[in-house]
Amino acid sequence: MVLEREQIMNKFHQVTTQLEQALGGVHYEELDISDEVKEQVELVLSQFQRAKGRVDTPDAELREDLLSLYSKSNDPAIDPAVLRKLVEKLQLTGLYDLTQESCALHDMVTATGEDPEERIEKMSLVLRKIKGFVLTETPEIDSSSRENSSTCSGQASIEATHKAPVIPDDFRCPISLELMKDPVIVSSGQTYERSSIEKWLEAGHITCPKTQQVLTSNVVTPNYVLRSLIAQWCEMNGVESPKRPGSSPNKSTSACTPAEHSTIENLLRKLTSGSPEDRLSATGEIRLLAKRNADNRVAIAEAGAIPLLVDLLSTPDSRIQEHAVTALLNLSICEDNKRSIVTSGAVPGIVHVLKKGSMEARENAAAALFSLSVIDENKVIIGTFGAIPPLVTLLSDGTQRGKKDAATALFNLCIYQGNKGKAVRAGVVVTLMGLLTEPQGSMIDEALAILAILSSHPEGKTTIGAAGAVPVLVNVITNGSPRNKENAAAVLVHLCSGDQHHLVDVQELGIMGPLVDLVQNGTERGRRKATQLLERINRYAEQQKQAQTEPEAPIHNQLSQSPPSSTNVLEC
């Protein structure tokens, strides 16, 4: 790379120019995206524009030393000091590094065909010179290792001598301390290995193992981002990527015994019988079996229970209805079952239960919608079938548990931009403001989290501002928890974007001190949002200052532009 810096640098400049042109051609201001995303697009575009004409100063000395070695590649009397400096700067201090460089050179030779170019031959001579110097300076390396290091075929044996890489703490499950295969997020925001946290929940625990926070729901959400990062880390460090349970095609679909399968089949026969008592007992037992463990959830779905349970969502018997929707909730914990439940037409039935069912059935219907909405395309389907208005109703008049279930479902659904307007039109902002100001304050966390999502939508921003949210949000930034301060600042950033009225209000309410404190002591996102809000306040103050210092127009000009009349005086 040092020797071919011009060609490599030109390639990067070409890519930068292409990216800048492509991004500049997107009329993002016409798209239905949040102000925050627009700001990020503008920032990235400006960075590309700056980078397009910028050239960083190369390490001229390194290139000169390498060229000197190039020209003297056949000269045995090369200054060891130059070689030592090159080895350190190029970070070719060990056999593994040298092997990687040899393999890269080998790939270049292969790419050129049978006739290697002269530049590659020179690189090979230089690499041999560096390799000889490293081996001379490291006498503890035995001859067999030297032979292995000279070809790419010996790379595996070189890597085998290296110490196993240390697994990053974030990739270990806090419960088992092992590398996570299937990381999932619980309602507290913490990530665990699926099998470990499911055992914890099945044992009857209701708190997060790491934070001891009471969990609002037993539903777990796959952490796809972390799973991808773990896979990348494994690939980069030569570690075999962990296989998720159920990912192997040879793995049996369910670990249930024949007797357990027989029990499930008998229950399904009862579901289709004409006896209400049989259907009631069968749905109740399936509900409990699906709650017990993952193998049962797989076996029940494989036996064909999902369509039968969906049919029972519209039954007039409220007890059967409650068992059916709760059984679907428990089955949806299994990732593969989520799509099966939705494709079986369950969403309209779950929404029906959410509107008409008993309080417990409504609560479990809300939790089921949250579980199903983990899959992005399901967010669209659930919003289309009218789930959001009854969720807002449950958030307003449900029990404490019902409000929690409704809030988690609404939060997840409103991640999809198309559902934000539906939630606002369903009156969710008024309900959330009520939760923010109620004396016990038990739903402040959830209310602020949902408002932070809705404030990025034009309708949401307008409605939140009109609901008198600014004083409440300033109070949260002054006295709230770190996470609540973060979300309150996020809402205010959107409200104050292009709205001078709100900028004046937050200054009069004394927000500057709390914002400075948030910048210094808040969460990472809280610090970022507080900084953005301070910048907007300061920018507005500068504009006001400039407006006050500009000379006023002569009085005769003012009079000539507006004839003096009683109407004009009143308008002024």
Side-chain angles (χ1 to χ4, degrees), residues 22 44-45 52 83 118-119 128 131 173 240 318 336 353 373 381 389 438 455 479 518 547:
V44 173
L45 185 57
K52 191 169 59 171
L83 279 167
E118 183 181 356
R119 63 190 179 91
R128 273 186 232 159
K131 191 179 295 185
C173 172
E240 184 179 357
S318 61
D336 293 336
V353 175
S373 66
I381 296 170
E438 63 181 8
S455 63
N479 303 308
L518 185 56

Side-chain angles (χ1 to χ4, degrees), residues 125-146:
L125 289 172
V126 171
L127 186 57
R128 273 186 232 159
K129 206 74 178 176
I130 292 174
K131 191 179 295 185
F133 174 77
V134 171
L135 295 175
T136 303
E137 293 286 303
T138 318
E140 64 272 15
I141 300 175
D142 58 33
S143 58
S144 62
S145 295
R146 298 184 188 191

Side-chain angles (χ1 to χ4, degrees), residues 210-247:
K210 191 172 182 180
T211 66
Q212 301 305 311
Q213 180 180 343
V214 176
L215 298 174
T216 59
S217 170
N218 283 356
V219 176
V220 295
T221 307
N223 192 333
Y224 294 112
V225 175
L226 183 59
R227 187 189 300 168
S228 176
L229 291 173
I230 291 173
Q232 291 177 27
W233 177 85
C234 290
E235 184 178 349
M236 291 173 61
N237 289 275
V239 177
E240 184 179 357
S241 183
K243 299 293 188 294
R244 282 197 301 146
S247 62

Side-chain angles (χ1 to χ4, degrees), residues 462-509:
T462 302
T463 308
I464 293 169
V470 172
V472 179
L473 295 170
V474 171
N475 181 57
V476 172
I477 292 177
T478 305
N479 303 308
S481 67
R483 179 56 58 88
N484 288 343
K485 289 181 179 181
E486 165 190 317
N487 282 324
V491 178
L492 283 176
V493 166
H494 288 296
L495 293 184
C496 294
S497 175
D499 194 314
Q500 296 180 356
H501 174 69
H502 291 318
L503 283 169
V504 172
D505 286 346
V506 295
Q507 290 182 83
E508 291 178 350
L509 290 165

